[in-house]
């Protein structure tokens, strides 16, 4: 069943719960974690191989939307059996790594937002409390998806199964086109998805959705897909609109409650809601009821207005209900229809007609024959299993559904009527053409304008498979700096702002105005605290250091001084006549803000407190100090004079901040910065009794303003 040789224990799983309008279906998908080392390069150019079986699927009724008034019951009354089913299939060791998704469709879209939220909240709580499946974020894993997303997933599933992704050359339809269109119809909505031809793709680029998938070799492939959805155009909602129009078109003043319905088999009586009534006798109640006359051609005419083709089109071209759709090139766009397209064209007729071919002429003839059959004869055929497992409800609904499907396909979307309209069939009938294509289906897929399918290569075609393919593709490691898997606005080669990742394991970080390396960018907060970031630990350490520094400087000077003492940053008075020296803090003098008052004010403190003999004078450029002089330290302590040499370094000043170097009592302007400070400090540091008299001139208390060059004598 697999494409490659894989180690079975390395398989990964995902669960997708399709919460539709009529029920919820659980799907389980499995794929290998990685291809085996000997896989050929051609195999590595393909998407991960997804596996599923019929036994892995389970459906229960009714739909989750029916729990709008009792959301607290949705867990025990609806989800319990589904969770029990999937737990029985997925190996226990793989449960915690298996993501679970519940994606609700059209039935939930029809509910008010507050009712949707309440239902989703109860679903998430129940799954989280009653299973160990991977559910990191309810907003990403349990939600209502819009019709476009549903259609896109279906398009992925169809092309994945037909080989449009993995073998593009084998599915070349001409004009460099190798993908298939997708049609889906449920009870409430209908979807259409296709890749326009190159001309239409350029013309309507802004209307396309960017889809990015990743093959096993890490290569990303982008696709531009047009997707649209029509809410209210599913068979159940269309039937409801039809009945309302039928009653509205009844002439006023009608006393008889019986309403003829050409879309019901001849002689069938039902309520407006579709409940079958006894064939004879009076009908209790006051509401009108319907009586079928089996006139299928009239049914076709009565359902055409439901297409809403007369709604104004604001963006040409349009199809149904004024919705813009790029022109469809049926030479290269071949559509595959699932769900109601399959059930309505096959369920009644599959047993009686083994060819399973669809063409307009053949199909319409068969439906017309069936619907004109008296209801009593149809009931007998149901009891005799003439149409397999078909029940009464399916049988009496097929006439309206068939008319609706035919009108959607041909009058709505514009698919050529095979059997009546000219098609590139080279003179062969529609049925013959389909049969011939079937012989080569494995090589070329479906080349007809439309073909209804249920399974491809023994796998059911479902939009849930598309979700699984997208998720599995995202689990393939990509190249460094590669673009992520997902979909969003059509901005090729980039990550659109509305880009949607396959799961919460791939969160979307909006790009700030300035981009980083490889065209991506990160917010500092995410870089520091995101668990996936390689810079998380050093980032946290840096952040903690910054916090400690800020707190340290908030303590105040005195408290910082006490911290210095406690940390042993000062030495006591030494022995042997050495001067009391302060051990400077490690950073002082190297980084200005680590000193007590900054670079300038530390020197000012020395001048004001001359009794601390820690200031050493070094050589100066001044001619007044060219002679050798005693260091203040040696003079005070009675040590022998020490000649000034290159080993004694003068203190470094911040020449750009002269205000911090000036003495408050002197407002002199200085040409030779530092001279005033050095002479002033020397005088103040020597008490009169100890002032040297023979070692050179005594410096003046202040220096006059000098307008001469630095070499001019005083």
């Amino acid at each position: 069943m697999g494409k490659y040789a894989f180690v079975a224990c390395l398989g990964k799983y995902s669960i997708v719960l399709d919460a539709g309008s009529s029920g919820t279906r659980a799907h389980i998908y499995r794929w290998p974690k990685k291809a085996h080392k000997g896989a050929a390069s051609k195999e590595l150019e393909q998407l991960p191989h997804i596996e599923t079986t019929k036994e892995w699927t389970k459906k229960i009724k009714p739909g989750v939307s029916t729990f709008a008034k009792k959301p607290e019951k949705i867990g025990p009354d609806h989800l319990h059996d589904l969770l029990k089913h999937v737990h029985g299939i997925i190996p226990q060791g793989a449960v915690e790594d298996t993501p679970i998704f519940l994606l609700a469709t059209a039935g939930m879209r029809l509910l008010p937002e507050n009712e949707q939220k309440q239902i989703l909240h109860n679903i998430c709580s129940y799954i989280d409390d009653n299973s160990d499946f991977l559910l990191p974020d309810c907003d990403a894993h349990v939600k209502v998806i819009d019709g476009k997303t549903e259609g896109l997933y279906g398009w992925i599933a169809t092309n994945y199964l037909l080989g449009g992704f993995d073998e593009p050359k084998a599915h070349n339809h001409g004009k460099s086109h190798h993908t298939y269109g997708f049609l889906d119809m449920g009870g409430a909505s209908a979807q259409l998805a296709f890749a326009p031809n190159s001309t239409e793709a350029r013309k309507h680029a802004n209307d396309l959705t960017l889809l990015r998938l990743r093959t096993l070799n890490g290569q990303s492939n982008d696709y531009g897909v047009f997707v649209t959805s029509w809410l209210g155009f599913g068979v159940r909602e269309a039937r409801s609109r039809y009945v309302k129009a039928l009653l509205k078109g009844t002439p006023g003043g009608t006393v008889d409650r019986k309403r003829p319905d050409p879309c019901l088999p001849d002689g069938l009586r039902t309520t407006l809601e579709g409940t079958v009534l006894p064939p004879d006798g009076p009908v209790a109640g006051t509401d009108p009821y319907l009586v079928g006359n089996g006139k299928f051609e009239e049914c076709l005419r009565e359902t055409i207005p439901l297409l809403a083709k007369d709604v104004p089109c604001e963006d040409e071209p349009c199809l149904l209900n004024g919705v813009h759709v790029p022109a469809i090139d049926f030479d290269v766009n071949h559509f595959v229809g699932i769900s109601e397209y399959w059930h309505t064209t096959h369920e009644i007729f599959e047993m009686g007609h083994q060819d399973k071919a669809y063409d307009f002429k053949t199909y319409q003839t068969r439906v017309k024959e069936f619907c004109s059959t008296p209801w009593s004869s149809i009931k007998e055929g149901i009891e005799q299993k003439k149409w397999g497992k078909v029940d009464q409800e399916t049988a009496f609904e097929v006439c309206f559904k068939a008319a609706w499907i035919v009108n959607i396909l041909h009058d709505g979307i514009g698919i050529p009527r095979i059997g009546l309209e000219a098609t590139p069939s080279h003179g062969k009938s529609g049925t013959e053409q389909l049969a011939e294509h079937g012989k080569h289906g494995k090589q070329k897929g479906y080349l007809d304008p439309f073909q209804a399918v249920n399974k491809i290569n023994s796998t059911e075609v479902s939009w849930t498979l598309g979700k699984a393919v997208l998720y599995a593709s995202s689990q393939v490691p990509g190249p460094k700096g590669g673009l992520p898997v997902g979909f969003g606005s059509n901005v090729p080669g980039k990550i659109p702002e509305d880009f949607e990742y396959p799961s919460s394991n791939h969160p979307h970080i909006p790009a700030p105005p300035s981009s980083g390396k490889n065209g991506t960018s990160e917010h500092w907060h995410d870089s520091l605290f995101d668990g996936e970031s390689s810079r998380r630990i050093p980032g946290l350490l840096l952040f903690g250091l910054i916090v400690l520094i800020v707190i340290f400087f908030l303590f105040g000077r005195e408290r910082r001084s006490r911290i210095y003492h406690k940390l042993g940053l000062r030495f006591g008075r030494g022995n042997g006549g050495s001067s009391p020296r302060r051990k400077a803090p490690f950073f002082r003098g190297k980084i200005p803000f680590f000193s007590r008052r900054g670079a300038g004010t530390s020197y000012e403190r020395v001048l004001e407190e001359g009794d601390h003999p820690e200031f050493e004078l070094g050589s100066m450029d001044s001619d007044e100090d060219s002679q050798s002089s005693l260091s203040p330290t040696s003079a005070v302590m009675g040590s022998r004079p020490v000649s000034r040499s290159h080993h004694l370094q003068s203190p470094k000043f911040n020449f750009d901040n002269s205000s911090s170097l000036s003495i408050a009592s002197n407002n002199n302007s200085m040409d030779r910065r530092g001279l005033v400070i050095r002479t002033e400090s020397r005088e103040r540091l020597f008490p009169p009794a100890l002032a040297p008299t023979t070692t050179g001139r005594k410096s003046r208390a202040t220096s006059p303003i000098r307008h001469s060059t630095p070499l001019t004598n005083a």
Side-chain angles (χ1 to χ4, degrees):
M1 189 174 179
K3 296 180 183 177
Y4 324 114
F6 290 98
V7 180
C9 63
L10 297 180
K12 299 188 69 174
Y13 295 83
S14 68
I15 303 167
V16 185
L17 304 181
D18 172 9
S21 58
S22 61
T24 302
R25 180 174 295 188
H27 296 267
I28 298 175
Y29 298 100
R30 180 179 65 191
W31 65 96
K33 284 187 177 181
K34 58 182 179 179
H36 133 328
K37 293 182 180 179
S41 59
K42 184 177 180 181
E43 295 174 338
L44 296 177
E45 293 173 357
Q46 300 180 358
L47 295 169
H49 175 56
I50 309 294
E51 295 179 342
T52 188
T53 68
K54 184 178 180 180
E55 291 72 23
W56 290 3
T57 302
K58 181 179 179 64
K59 182 177 182 179
I60 58 174
K61 295 183 178 182
V64 295
S65 58
T66 61
F67 289 85
K69 305 304 180 185
K70 47 179 180 179
E72 70 282 355
K73 297 290 186 180
I74 197 167
D77 294 354
H78 191 75
L79 298 175
H80 174 77
D81 290 343
L82 293 176
L83 290 181
K84 182 179 179 181
H85 168 73
V86 295
H87 265 295
I89 294 174
I90 296 178
Q92 186 60 38
V95 168
E96 292 186 355
D97 294 327
T98 299
I100 185 169
F101 302 91
L102 185 142
L103 306 178
T105 55
M108 284 280 282
R109 293 179 209 138
L110 296 172
L111 293 180
E113 185 176 356
N114 63 319
E115 293 184 357
Q116 292 183 26
K117 289 182 178 180
Q118 193 61 42
I119 292 174
L120 296 176
H121 173 74
N122 281 272
I123 290 173
C124 185
S125 297
Y126 187 84
I127 295 176
D128 195 37
D129 294 340
N130 293 273
S131 76
D132 294 323
F133 293 116
L134 186 61
L135 185 62
D137 182 3
C138 280
D139 291 339
H141 285 240
V142 179
K143 61 183 179 179
V144 179
I145 60 173
D146 57 34
K148 289 186 177 181
T149 301
E150 183 181 352
L152 182 64
Y153 288 159
W155 186 85
I156 296 173
T158 299
N159 283 280
Y160 174 79
L161 291 175
L162 286 175
F165 295 138
D166 292 342
E167 300 177 280
K169 293 182 179 180
H171 295 267
N172 185 5
H173 304 155
K175 304 178 184 178
S176 300
H177 202 282
H178 57 84
T179 60
Y180 297 84
F182 171 75
L183 295 172
D184 191 7
M185 181 180 293
S189 66
Q191 287 76 39
L192 175 147
F194 71 103
N197 65 26
S198 56
T199 301
E200 290 295 304
R202 287 192 299 269
K203 188 186 300 184
H204 303 282
N206 293 335
D207 301 319
L208 305 183
T209 296
L210 169 69
L211 169 68
R212 182 174 295 121
L213 298 172
R214 185 178 296 138
T215 53
L216 292 173
N217 59 7
Q219 177 67 41
S220 295
N221 295 317
D222 290 0
Y223 302 89
V225 188
F226 178 83
V227 190
T228 193
S229 178
W230 291 279
L231 186 60
F233 281 67
V235 288
R236 190 188 66 251
E237 290 298 312
R239 172 69 182 176
S240 177
R241 293 194 289 128
Y242 166 76
V243 171
K244 290 178 181 178
L246 191 66
L247 297 178
K248 187 177 180 180
T250 302
T254 302
V255 178
D256 191 357
R257 294 186 294 119
K258 181 172 58 178
R259 302 289 189 272
D261 185 352
C263 295
L264 289 178
D266 186 28
L268 173 63
R269 301 198 303 179
T270 72
T271 65
L272 299 181
E273 292 76 24
T275 301
V276 176
L277 297 172
D280 300 312
V283 177
T286 58
D287 294 334
Y289 63 93
L290 306 176
V291 179
N293 57 28
K295 298 180 179 179
F296 183 71
E297 291 182 352
E298 183 179 342
C299 180
L300 284 171
R301 292 193 299 270
E302 294 292 335
T303 52
I304 284 181
L306 300 177
L307 299 176
K309 297 281 286 186
D310 56 345
V311 173
C313 178
E314 298 181 358
D315 184 11
E316 294 285 352
C318 294
L319 290 183
L320 311 175
N321 201 33
V323 175
H324 166 73
V325 177
I328 301 174
D329 182 357
F330 290 101
D331 286 341
V332 297
N333 292 130
H334 310 304
F335 285 86
V336 171
I338 67 169
S339 302
E340 284 298 340
Y341 290 106
W342 165 263
H343 299 309
T344 303
T345 57
H346 287 75
E347 279 184 338
I348 295 294
F349 310 108
E350 184 175 359
M351 294 299 293
H353 305 280
Q354 296 297 325
D355 57 359
K356 300 184 182 181
Y358 172 85
D359 66 70
F360 175 76
K361 183 177 180 179
T362 303
Y363 182 65
Q364 180 165 298
T365 300
R366 292 172 179 173
V367 174
K368 182 178 178 180
E369 178 185 344
F370 178 85
C371 294
S372 61
T373 301
W375 177 244
S376 57
S377 299
I378 293 176
K379 285 181 62 178
E380 288 182 12
I382 294 173
E383 294 172 357
Q384 296 170 3
K385 304 295 183 181
K386 180 178 179 180
W387 299 288
K389 297 180 180 180
V390 171
D391 55 16
Q392 287 193 34
E393 182 179 1
T394 302
F396 79 72
E397 287 180 345
V398 74
C399 296
F400 172 82
K401 289 182 177 181
W404 182 238
I405 291 292
V406 167
N407 283 332
I408 283 281
L409 289 175
H410 305 296
D411 287 286
I413 299 174
I415 291 176
R417 291 173 170 85
I418 296 179
L420 291 182
E421 298 178 2
T423 59
S425 60
H426 307 288
K428 299 176 182 178
S429 68
T431 302
E432 291 172 340
Q433 189 181 358
L434 291 172
E436 182 175 324
H437 291 160
K439 296 176 183 177
H440 307 286
K442 292 183 179 180
Q443 289 75 33
K444 296 186 177 181
Y446 298 100
L447 300 181
D448 320 296
F450 169 77
Q451 179 64 56
V453 301
N454 184 38
K455 296 181 179 180
I456 298 175
N457 297 329
S458 302
T459 301
E460 180 183 358
V461 183
S462 169
W463 63 262
T464 57
L465 173 61
K467 172 66 177 180
V469 170
L470 191 68
Y471 179 81
S473 176
S474 72
Q475 300 301 295
V476 177
K480 185 176 181 180
L483 295 171
V485 170
F487 59 92
S489 297
N490 187 30
V491 187
K494 297 183 180 179
I495 306 177
E497 292 183 0
D498 60 351
F499 195 77
E500 184 166 336
Y501 293 81
S503 75
S504 60
N505 292 336
H506 303 80
H508 173 39
I509 303 174
S514 59
S515 297
K517 188 178 179 180
N518 299 321
T520 61
S521 52
E522 293 180 341
H523 193 278
W524 69 270
H525 181 277
D526 297 297
S527 298
L528 290 179
F529 299 107
D530 187 0
E532 300 298 326
S533 176
S534 59
R535 292 172 285 179
R536 182 171 182 251
I537 294 178
L540 287 173
L541 293 176
L542 177 60
F543 182 80
L545 178 61
I546 294 173
V547 171
L548 290 176
I549 292 173
V550 172
I551 294 174
F552 177 77
F553 282 100
L554 290 176
F555 280 164
R557 187 180 66 185
E558 296 301 323
R559 187 171 295 178
R560 291 199 303 270
S561 297
R562 289 197 295 271
I563 293 175
Y564 287 149
H565 284 290
K566 290 181 179 180
L567 295 178
L569 297 179
R570 292 173 181 266
F571 285 8
R573 185 178 298 272
N575 298 325
S578 61
S579 62
R581 300 293 301 271
R582 179 186 310 167
K583 182 178 179 180
F586 179 76
F587 291 103
R588 184 175 298 178
K590 296 178 175 60
I591 303 177
F593 62 75
F594 273 89
S595 62
R596 291 186 181 182
R597 288 189 174 181
T601 54
S602 63
Y603 289 107
E604 184 178 356
R605 179 176 176 83
V606 171
L607 297 180
E608 293 173 353
E609 302 177 8
D611 56 335
H612 295 283
E614 61 181 10
F615 196 120
E616 292 186 7
L617 294 178
S619 59
M620 295 186 181
D621 296 332
S622 170
D623 60 322
E624 291 182 340
D625 298 303
S626 60
Q627 302 177 37
S628 297
S629 62
L630 294 172
S631 70
T633 303
S634 60
V636 171
M637 301 305 297
S639 303
R640 62 184 179 86
V642 180
S643 298
R644 194 182 291 113
S645 68
H646 67 280
H647 295 291
L648 300 176
Q649 300 297 323
S650 62
K652 297 180 181 179
F653 298 91
N654 183 358
F655 291 157
D656 295 329
N657 190 8
S658 59
S659 62
S660 66
L661 301 177
S662 63
I663 302 175
S665 61
N666 297 292
N667 298 321
N668 300 339
S669 300
M670 296 176 289
D671 284 338
R672 302 189 299 178
R673 293 179 174 85
L675 180 60
V676 171
I677 292 176
R678 297 181 185 220
T679 56
E680 178 78 0
S681 61
R682 183 188 302 174
E683 183 172 338
R684 295 185 61 182
L685 289 172
F686 285 98
L690 299 176
T693 58
T694 61
T695 57
R697 287 186 304 178
K698 175 182 176 181
S699 299
R700 291 188 294 269
T702 58
S703 298
I705 298 175
R706 304 190 180 196
H707 300 285
S708 59
T709 66
L711 298 178
T712 305
N713 292 330

